[in-house]
Amino acid sequence: MLAADPRFDAFKQDVLAGFFAQSKLAEEARASETHAATVIQSYYRMYVVRRGLRHLNEKAVVIQKVYRARLAKKEHKRRLQQHVISLRVKYFNAHATCIQKHYRAFMSRKYKH
């Protein structure tokens, strides 16, 4: 009964025409939608990579900070030891000078006068 009805045939033709029109529009928009999806994916990947690089950069800064602190402590210890050695040398030189002064005075009194 419905197959013989001309209104059904007209409705079926309208539905098919609408479907094909929508398919054609979708096919025409496919290239721009694909490009848009590619752009979105590339920006997301770029975001993920930059986030990872930022994380690695922060960890590298921590490693550098610890290493430089270690070098600074080592250098401070070396300079402190040099300073202590120079103070000891000055101390012993001063006392050696005093001993020499007293010895020379003794020798001068003993043998020259």
Side-chain angles (χ1 to χ4, degrees):
M1 290 208 204
L2 290 176
D5 191 5
R7 289 182 302 170
F8 178 73
D9 288 337
F11 176 72
K12 185 168 71 171
Q13 291 299 323
D14 287 342
V15 169
L16 286 175
F19 173 76
F20 287 125
Q22 292 296 325
S23 295
K24 185 178 179 183
L25 289 174
E27 192 62 38
E28 290 172 357
R30 183 181 308 241
S32 65
E33 289 175 357
T34 303
H35 177 70
T38 304
V39 169
I40 291 169
Q41 288 173 355
S42 68
Y43 274 97
Y44 178 74
R45 284 191 207 109
M46 186 172 45
Y47 165 75
V48 169
V49 168
R50 285 184 179 171
R51 183 178 61 185
L53 288 176
R54 189 178 329 115
H55 175 74
L56 291 176
N57 190 23
E58 290 169 358
K59 298 307 173 189
V61 167
V62 169
I63 291 170
Q64 288 173 351
K65 182 171 65 170
V66 169
Y67 181 72
R68 288 176 182 162
R70 182 173 177 261
L71 285 181
K73 288 177 184 178
K74 200 177 204 181
E75 178 67 17
H76 176 69
K77 185 177 180 181
R78 186 186 64 79
R79 286 185 182 187
L80 184 63
Q81 287 174 347
Q82 284 181 343
H83 181 66
V84 167
I85 289 171
S86 70
L87 287 178
R88 287 180 183 164
V89 167
K90 286 180 185 178
Y91 175 79
F92 288 121
N93 284 343
H95 282 82
T97 303
C98 184
I99 290 170
Q100 289 171 359
K101 179 176 75 170
H102 285 92
Y103 177 76
R104 287 181 184 145
F106 169 76
M107 293 304 284
S108 173
R109 283 190 303 274
K110 184 174 181 181
Y111 293 111
K112 290 188 180 179
H113 298 293

